[in-house]
């Protein structure tokens, strides 16, 4: 069974603060993919990152960084120097590599950046 | 290039009525997925088309839901008759390969309210 847990329902930070969104997953598959999506007020889900289970290297993209740790089954997302435009709902998701192509999503974390 | 487009953006119907949601995937994407998010919960997989064939419909809630993808282009999701618990946001996504191996592009969703 696949499960993704985003324990933080809502987070508020003041602009320029750093914020980390937590994601913990469960899977019995040895090969899988992890994702983060952003849902701005316009509604669509915007792809942010995909990580293969064999690649534990952390990734940085501008103000965004991701920390993948298989030992704790976590794939946390950090926004550095947050901006108002970062306000959105962020979803973590898992895709097993066992033939199923559907994504298993967490319940999402609503981030509000206060100016 | 046009993204994934969903119609309508909002729909309010009475219990017992029929509603049809439409999804136009990105041109050339063989894979098309339907997902649903009930308020406050995770986004859940409904079904997956590869071209016009249903690859996986294990997430469809019951036989009141019917999805089609005639000709392997756009897809429709019909709910008949609608019940109160069908309310939520219905997302469509498309990808060139399975969503786990490449990114899936999502539409803005259709917010369905059954009253």
């Amino acid at each position: 069974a696949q499960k993704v847990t985003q324990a933080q329902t809502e987070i508020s930070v003041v602009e320029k603060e750093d914020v980390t969104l937590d994601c913990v997953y469960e899977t019995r598959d040895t090969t899988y993919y992890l994702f983060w999506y952003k849902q701005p007020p316009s509604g669509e889900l915007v792809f942010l990152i995909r990580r293969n289970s064999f690649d534990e290297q952390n990734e940085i993209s501008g103000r965004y960084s991701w920390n993948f740790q298989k030992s704790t089954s976590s794939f946390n997302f950090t926004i550095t120097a947050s901006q108002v435009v970062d306000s959105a709902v962020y979803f973590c998701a898992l895709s097993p590599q066992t033939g199923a192509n559907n994504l298993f999503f967490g319940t999402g974390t609503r981030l509000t950046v206060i100016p | 290039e046009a993204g994934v487009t969903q119609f309508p953006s909002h729909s309010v119907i009475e219990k017992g009525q029929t509603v049809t949601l439409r999804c136009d995937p990105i041109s050339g994407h063989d894979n098309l997925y339907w997902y649903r998010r009930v308020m406050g919960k995770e986004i859940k997989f409904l079904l997956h088309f590869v071209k016009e064939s249903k690859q996986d419909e294990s997430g469809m809630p019951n036989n009141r839901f019917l999805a089609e993808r005639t000709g392997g282009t756009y897809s429709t999701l019909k709910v008949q008759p609608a019940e109160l618990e069908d309310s939520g946001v219905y997302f469509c996504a498309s990808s060139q390969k399975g969503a786990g191996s490449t990114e899936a592009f999502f539409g803005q969703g259709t917010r369905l309210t059954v009253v």
Side-chain angles (χ1 to χ4, degrees):
Chain A
Q2 328 290 339
K3 185 179 180 182
V4 175
T5 301
Q6 294 180 257
Q8 304 151 310
T9 305
E10 295 191 30
I11 301 176
S12 292
V13 298
V14 176
E15 198 171 21
K16 297 184 182 176
E17 287 185 344
D18 299 346
V19 58
T20 295
L21 310 182
D22 297 333
C23 174
V24 174
Y25 62 91
E26 296 175 31
T27 180
R28 294 178 182 169
D29 296 300
T30 54
T31 302
Y32 50 89
Y33 289 88
L34 295 166
F35 299 77
W36 275 96
Y37 280 86
K38 173 182 180 180
Q39 185 185 33
S42 52
E44 75 278 15
L45 291 168
V46 178
F47 169 84
L48 294 178
I49 189 172
R50 177 184 73 248
R51 173 63 71 212
N52 183 306
S53 56
F54 291 113
D55 183 1
E56 285 194 73
Q57 272 194 330
N58 292 328
E59 181 156 340
I60 297 175
S61 176
R63 296 184 296 107
Y64 295 171
S65 62
W66 290 269
N67 184 348
F68 176 29
Q69 292 196 347
K70 286 182 79 169
S71 61
T72 56
S73 297
S74 65
F75 187 45
N76 296 337
F77 172 32
T78 297
I79 301 175
T80 303
S82 60
Q83 299 176 1
V84 173
V85 293
D86 297 327
S87 296
V89 181
Y90 291 86
F91 291 94
C92 180
L94 166 75
S95 178
Q97 193 72 357
T98 52
N101 293 306
N102 50 305
L103 296 168
F104 293 83
F105 284 87
T107 50
T109 298
R110 179 178 297 278
L111 173 66
T112 302
V113 181
I114 304 165
Chain B
E1 180 183 358
V4 176
T5 308
Q6 293 186 244
F7 303 96
S9 57
H10 293 84
S11 179
V12 181
I13 61 171
E14 292 184 352
K15 176 182 173 181
Q17 289 186 322
T18 298
V19 62
T20 300
L21 313 181
R22 173 171 168 146
C23 169
D24 286 74
I26 292 174
S27 177
H29 282 191
D30 288 343
N31 294 280
L32 187 149
Y33 306 83
W34 283 98
Y35 289 84
R36 176 174 74 171
R37 187 185 190 207
V38 173
M39 186 184 299
K41 300 203 172 179
E42 70 271 24
I43 300 170
K44 279 195 171 180
F45 167 81
L46 296 179
L47 88 159
H48 169 207
F49 283 99
V50 177
K51 296 185 180 178
E52 68 274 9
S53 299
K54 291 177 185 174
Q55 186 78 7
D56 180 358
E57 51 183 330
S58 61
M60 294 288 264
N62 50 60
N63 59 9
R64 294 185 295 101
F65 289 75
L66 175 64
E68 295 180 324
R69 193 183 181 194
T70 306
T73 54
Y74 71 91
S75 175
T76 58
L77 179 64
K78 181 192 290 187
V79 185
Q80 179 183 29
E83 298 290 342
L84 298 178
E85 64 264 25
D86 301 332
S87 297
V89 180
Y90 290 77
F91 290 100
C92 176
S94 71
S95 69
Q96 290 181 316
K97 296 181 183 179
S101 55
T102 64
E103 63 181 280
F105 295 85
F106 282 78
Q108 82 281 12
T110 293
R111 181 175 296 278
L112 175 64
T113 303
V114 183
V115 297

